[in-house]
mmCIF file of all heavy atoms in Angstrom:
data_model
loop_
_atom_site.group_PDB
_atom_site.id
_atom_site.type_symbol
_atom_site.label_atom_id
_atom_site.label_comp_id
_atom_site.label_asym_id
_atom_site.label_seq_id
_atom_site.Cartn_x
_atom_site.Cartn_y
_atom_site.Cartn_z
ATOM 1 N N ALA Q 270 -72.404 -44.229 -10.661
ATOM 2 C CA ALA Q 270 -72.331 -42.838 -11.101
ATOM 3 C C ALA Q 270 -72.627 -41.939 -9.909
ATOM 4 O O ALA Q 270 -73.473 -42.267 -9.065
ATOM 5 C CB ALA Q 270 -73.335 -42.567 -12.206
ATOM 6 N N ILE Q 272 -72.715 -37.520 -8.794
ATOM 7 C CA ILE Q 272 -72.557 -36.123 -9.156
ATOM 8 C C ILE Q 272 -71.850 -35.447 -7.995
ATOM 9 O O ILE Q 272 -72.347 -35.454 -6.871
ATOM 10 C CB ILE Q 272 -73.913 -35.489 -9.474
ATOM 11 C CG1 ILE Q 272 -74.480 -36.192 -10.689
ATOM 12 C CG2 ILE Q 272 -73.765 -33.999 -9.689
ATOM 13 C CD1 ILE Q 272 -75.746 -35.661 -11.219
ATOM 14 N N ALA Q 282 -75.562 -36.414 -5.660
ATOM 15 C CA ALA Q 282 -76.462 -37.511 -6.002
ATOM 16 C C ALA Q 282 -75.626 -38.700 -6.453
ATOM 17 O O ALA Q 282 -74.517 -38.524 -6.945
ATOM 18 C CB ALA Q 282 -77.410 -37.091 -7.122
ATOM 19 N N HIS Q 283 -76.169 -39.889 -6.274
ATOM 20 C CA HIS Q 283 -75.446 -41.085 -6.709
ATOM 21 C C HIS Q 283 -76.428 -42.181 -7.057
ATOM 22 O O HIS Q 283 -77.583 -42.169 -6.631
ATOM 23 C CB HIS Q 283 -74.485 -41.574 -5.616
ATOM 24 C CG HIS Q 283 -75.186 -41.979 -4.350
ATOM 25 N ND1 HIS Q 283 -75.654 -43.236 -4.159
ATOM 26 C CD2 HIS Q 283 -75.504 -41.279 -3.243
ATOM 27 C CE1 HIS Q 283 -76.239 -43.308 -2.957
ATOM 28 N NE2 HIS Q 283 -76.169 -42.115 -2.389
ATOM 29 N N ALA Q 284 -75.958 -43.128 -7.852
ATOM 30 C CA ALA Q 284 -76.755 -44.304 -8.221
ATOM 31 C C ALA Q 284 -75.802 -45.399 -8.672
ATOM 32 O O ALA Q 284 -74.675 -45.116 -9.094
ATOM 33 C CB ALA Q 284 -77.735 -43.964 -9.337
ATOM 34 N N SER Q 285 -76.250 -46.633 -8.577
ATOM 35 C CA SER Q 285 -75.437 -47.755 -9.043
ATOM 36 C C SER Q 285 -76.327 -48.869 -9.540
ATOM 37 O O SER Q 285 -77.530 -48.896 -9.255
ATOM 38 C CB SER Q 285 -74.524 -48.274 -7.928
ATOM 39 O OG SER Q 285 -75.264 -49.041 -7.014
ATOM 40 N N SER Q 286 -75.746 -49.787 -10.267
ATOM 41 C CA SER Q 286 -76.520 -50.916 -10.771
ATOM 42 C C SER Q 286 -76.863 -51.898 -9.657
ATOM 43 O O SER Q 286 -77.691 -52.786 -9.852
ATOM 44 C CB SER Q 286 -75.762 -51.626 -11.888
ATOM 45 O OG SER Q 286 -74.513 -52.070 -11.424
ATOM 46 N N LEU Q 287 -76.281 -51.739 -8.492
ATOM 47 C CA LEU Q 287 -76.620 -52.591 -7.361
ATOM 48 C C LEU Q 287 -78.027 -52.320 -6.857
ATOM 49 O O LEU Q 287 -78.683 -53.203 -6.322
ATOM 50 C CB LEU Q 287 -75.635 -52.363 -6.209
ATOM 51 C CG LEU Q 287 -74.230 -52.885 -6.425
ATOM 52 C CD1 LEU Q 287 -73.318 -52.408 -5.317
ATOM 53 C CD2 LEU Q 287 -74.236 -54.389 -6.487
ATOM 54 N N GLU Q 288 -78.516 -51.099 -7.027
ATOM 55 C CA GLU Q 288 -79.832 -50.744 -6.507
ATOM 56 C C GLU Q 288 -80.906 -50.702 -7.580
ATOM 57 O O GLU Q 288 -82.050 -50.408 -7.292
ATOM 58 C CB GLU Q 288 -79.756 -49.376 -5.829
ATOM 59 C CG GLU Q 288 -79.352 -48.274 -6.782
ATOM 60 C CD GLU Q 288 -79.163 -46.964 -6.092
ATOM 61 O OE1 GLU Q 288 -80.162 -46.253 -5.940
ATOM 62 O OE2 GLU Q 288 -78.029 -46.666 -5.705
ATOM 63 N N GLY Q 289 -80.537 -51.014 -8.806
ATOM 64 C CA GLY Q 289 -81.492 -50.912 -9.900
ATOM 65 C C GLY Q 289 -82.551 -51.992 -9.926
ATOM 66 O O GLY Q 289 -83.534 -51.889 -10.643
ATOM 67 N N GLY Q 290 -82.372 -53.069 -9.177
ATOM 68 C CA GLY Q 290 -83.334 -54.150 -9.175
ATOM 69 C C GLY Q 290 -83.076 -55.163 -10.281
ATOM 70 O O GLY Q 290 -83.735 -56.187 -10.366
ATOM 71 N N ALA Q 306 -78.462 -51.993 -17.748
ATOM 72 C CA ALA Q 306 -78.240 -51.590 -16.363
ATOM 73 C C ALA Q 306 -77.597 -50.210 -16.306
ATOM 74 O O ALA Q 306 -77.941 -49.390 -15.453
ATOM 75 C CB ALA Q 306 -77.357 -52.618 -15.649
ATOM 76 N N ALA Q 307 -76.672 -49.940 -17.219
ATOM 77 C CA ALA Q 307 -76.020 -48.630 -17.254
ATOM 78 C C ALA Q 307 -77.030 -47.537 -17.581
ATOM 79 O O ALA Q 307 -76.993 -46.451 -16.995
ATOM 80 C CB ALA Q 307 -74.887 -48.635 -18.276
ATOM 81 N N ALA Q 308 -77.953 -47.818 -18.495
ATOM 82 C CA ALA Q 308 -78.981 -46.842 -18.835
ATOM 83 C C ALA Q 308 -79.888 -46.577 -17.640
ATOM 84 O O ALA Q 308 -80.282 -45.428 -17.386
ATOM 85 C CB ALA Q 308 -79.788 -47.329 -20.026
ATOM 86 N N LEU Q 309 -80.200 -47.624 -16.891
ATOM 87 C CA LEU Q 309 -81.011 -47.468 -15.678
ATOM 88 C C LEU Q 309 -80.303 -46.566 -14.665
ATOM 89 O O LEU Q 309 -80.923 -45.694 -14.053
ATOM 90 C CB LEU Q 309 -81.238 -48.845 -15.054
ATOM 91 C CG LEU Q 309 -82.661 -49.311 -14.888
ATOM 92 C CD1 LEU Q 309 -82.708 -50.787 -14.612
ATOM 93 C CD2 LEU Q 309 -83.365 -48.533 -13.835
ATOM 94 N N VAL Q 310 -79.004 -46.769 -14.505
ATOM 95 C CA VAL Q 310 -78.222 -45.963 -13.562
ATOM 96 C C VAL Q 310 -78.172 -44.508 -14.023
ATOM 97 O O VAL Q 310 -78.324 -43.586 -13.218
ATOM 98 C CB VAL Q 310 -76.795 -46.543 -13.398
ATOM 99 C CG1 VAL Q 310 -75.904 -45.607 -12.611
ATOM 100 C CG2 VAL Q 310 -76.862 -47.892 -12.726
ATOM 101 N N GLY Q 311 -77.991 -44.288 -15.316
ATOM 102 C CA GLY Q 311 -77.973 -42.930 -15.845
ATOM 103 C C GLY Q 311 -79.274 -42.203 -15.600
ATOM 104 O O GLY Q 311 -79.296 -41.033 -15.199
ATOM 105 N N LYS Q 312 -80.376 -42.895 -15.806
ATOM 106 C CA LYS Q 312 -81.690 -42.293 -15.576
ATOM 107 C C LYS Q 312 -81.891 -41.984 -14.103
ATOM 108 O O LYS Q 312 -82.368 -40.914 -13.731
ATOM 109 C CB LYS Q 312 -82.770 -43.253 -16.078
ATOM 110 C CG LYS Q 312 -84.163 -42.718 -15.944
ATOM 111 C CD LYS Q 312 -85.178 -43.720 -16.448
ATOM 112 C CE LYS Q 312 -86.578 -43.208 -16.156
ATOM 113 N NZ LYS Q 312 -87.596 -44.202 -16.376
ATOM 114 N N LEU Q 313 -81.512 -42.932 -13.245
ATOM 115 C CA LEU Q 313 -81.664 -42.760 -11.793
ATOM 116 C C LEU Q 313 -80.862 -41.572 -11.271
ATOM 117 O O LEU Q 313 -81.378 -40.759 -10.509
ATOM 118 C CB LEU Q 313 -81.185 -44.033 -11.088
ATOM 119 C CG LEU Q 313 -82.216 -44.894 -10.398
ATOM 120 C CD1 LEU Q 313 -81.588 -46.199 -9.965
ATOM 121 C CD2 LEU Q 313 -82.847 -44.189 -9.259
ATOM 122 N N VAL Q 314 -79.598 -41.476 -11.677
ATOM 123 C CA VAL Q 314 -78.750 -40.403 -11.164
ATOM 124 C C VAL Q 314 -79.238 -39.046 -11.684
ATOM 125 O O VAL Q 314 -79.189 -38.047 -10.961
ATOM 126 C CB VAL Q 314 -77.254 -40.648 -11.467
ATOM 127 C CG1 VAL Q 314 -76.904 -40.369 -12.900
ATOM 128 C CG2 VAL Q 314 -76.375 -39.831 -10.550
ATOM 129 N N ALA Q 315 -79.756 -39.010 -12.901
ATOM 130 C CA ALA Q 315 -80.280 -37.754 -13.444
ATOM 131 C C ALA Q 315 -81.525 -37.311 -12.673
ATOM 132 O O ALA Q 315 -81.666 -36.127 -12.339
ATOM 133 C CB ALA Q 315 -80.594 -37.918 -14.920
ATOM 134 N N GLU Q 316 -82.415 -38.243 -12.385
ATOM 135 C CA GLU Q 316 -83.617 -37.901 -11.624
ATOM 136 C C GLU Q 316 -83.264 -37.373 -10.242
ATOM 137 O O GLU Q 316 -83.845 -36.392 -9.775
ATOM 138 C CB GLU Q 316 -84.523 -39.128 -11.498
ATOM 139 C CG GLU Q 316 -85.187 -39.531 -12.796
ATOM 140 C CD GLU Q 316 -85.897 -40.877 -12.703
ATOM 141 O OE1 GLU Q 316 -85.801 -41.546 -11.641
ATOM 142 O OE2 GLU Q 316 -86.540 -41.263 -13.698
ATOM 143 N N ARG Q 317 -82.310 -38.016 -9.594
ATOM 144 C CA ARG Q 317 -81.914 -37.583 -8.250
ATOM 145 C C ARG Q 317 -81.231 -36.225 -8.278
ATOM 146 O O ARG Q 317 -81.390 -35.423 -7.365
ATOM 147 C CB ARG Q 317 -81.000 -38.627 -7.621
ATOM 148 C CG ARG Q 317 -81.745 -39.898 -7.303
ATOM 149 C CD ARG Q 317 -80.859 -40.974 -6.760
ATOM 150 N NE ARG Q 317 -81.629 -42.173 -6.505
ATOM 151 C CZ ARG Q 317 -81.109 -43.332 -6.158
ATOM 152 N NH1 ARG Q 317 -79.796 -43.444 -6.030
ATOM 153 N NH2 ARG Q 317 -81.874 -44.376 -5.944
ATOM 154 N N ALA Q 318 -80.466 -35.962 -9.320
ATOM 155 C CA ALA Q 318 -79.794 -34.672 -9.437
ATOM 156 C C ALA Q 318 -80.804 -33.556 -9.682
ATOM 157 O O ALA Q 318 -80.700 -32.474 -9.099
ATOM 158 C CB ALA Q 318 -78.783 -34.712 -10.574
ATOM 159 N N ILE Q 319 -81.781 -33.825 -10.524
ATOM 160 C CA ILE Q 319 -82.790 -32.803 -10.818
ATOM 161 C C ILE Q 319 -83.619 -32.497 -9.577
ATOM 162 O O ILE Q 319 -84.005 -31.348 -9.341
ATOM 163 C CB ILE Q 319 -83.653 -33.250 -12.021
ATOM 164 C CG1 ILE Q 319 -82.790 -33.206 -13.283
ATOM 165 C CG2 ILE Q 319 -84.877 -32.375 -12.183
ATOM 166 C CD1 ILE Q 319 -83.412 -33.834 -14.498
ATOM 167 N N GLU Q 320 -83.872 -33.510 -8.742
ATOM 168 C CA GLU Q 320 -84.570 -33.281 -7.468
ATOM 169 C C GLU Q 320 -83.786 -32.316 -6.583
ATOM 170 O O GLU Q 320 -84.367 -31.528 -5.850
ATOM 171 C CB GLU Q 320 -84.769 -34.593 -6.717
ATOM 172 C CG GLU Q 320 -85.841 -35.483 -7.285
ATOM 173 C CD GLU Q 320 -85.917 -36.819 -6.564
ATOM 174 O OE1 GLU Q 320 -85.239 -36.988 -5.529
ATOM 175 O OE2 GLU Q 320 -86.647 -37.697 -7.054
ATOM 176 N N LEU Q 342 -74.914 -44.961 -20.246
ATOM 177 C CA LEU Q 342 -75.205 -44.189 -19.041
ATOM 178 C C LEU Q 342 -75.353 -42.703 -19.386
ATOM 179 O O LEU Q 342 -76.296 -42.045 -18.954
ATOM 180 C CB LEU Q 342 -74.098 -44.401 -18.003
ATOM 181 C CG LEU Q 342 -74.340 -43.802 -16.623
ATOM 182 C CD1 LEU Q 342 -73.726 -44.710 -15.577
ATOM 183 C CD2 LEU Q 342 -73.786 -42.430 -16.476
ATOM 184 N N ALA Q 345 -78.628 -41.984 -21.373
ATOM 185 C CA ALA Q 345 -79.811 -42.071 -20.519
ATOM 186 C C ALA Q 345 -79.913 -40.860 -19.600
ATOM 187 O O ALA Q 345 -81.009 -40.348 -19.346
ATOM 188 C CB ALA Q 345 -79.775 -43.354 -19.698
ATOM 189 N N ALA Q 346 -78.777 -40.376 -19.094
ATOM 190 C CA ALA Q 346 -78.795 -39.195 -18.231
ATOM 191 C C ALA Q 346 -79.240 -37.961 -19.019
ATOM 192 O O ALA Q 346 -79.980 -37.124 -18.505
ATOM 193 C CB ALA Q 346 -77.406 -38.968 -17.625
ATOM 194 N N ALA Q 349 -82.966 -38.086 -19.551
ATOM 195 C CA ALA Q 349 -83.697 -37.823 -18.310
ATOM 196 C C ALA Q 349 -83.643 -36.356 -17.898
ATOM 197 O O ALA Q 349 -84.290 -35.975 -16.929
ATOM 198 C CB ALA Q 349 -83.161 -38.704 -17.190
ATOM 199 N N LEU Q 351 -80.502 -34.154 -17.822
ATOM 200 C CA LEU Q 351 -79.235 -33.508 -17.498
ATOM 201 C C LEU Q 351 -78.627 -32.893 -18.754
ATOM 202 O O LEU Q 351 -78.746 -33.453 -19.845
ATOM 203 C CB LEU Q 351 -78.240 -34.513 -16.910
ATOM 204 C CG LEU Q 351 -78.410 -34.883 -15.454
ATOM 205 C CD1 LEU Q 351 -77.290 -35.812 -15.013
ATOM 206 C CD2 LEU Q 351 -78.439 -33.668 -14.553
#
Side-chain angles (χ1 to χ4, degrees):
I272 296 184
H283 62 88
S285 76
S286 58
L287 289 171
E288 61 185 273
L309 239 165
V310 171
K312 182 180 174 191
L313 249 171
V314 76
E316 289 171 355
R317 291 177 181 173
I319 290 170
E320 286 175 8
L342 187 146
L351 281 184

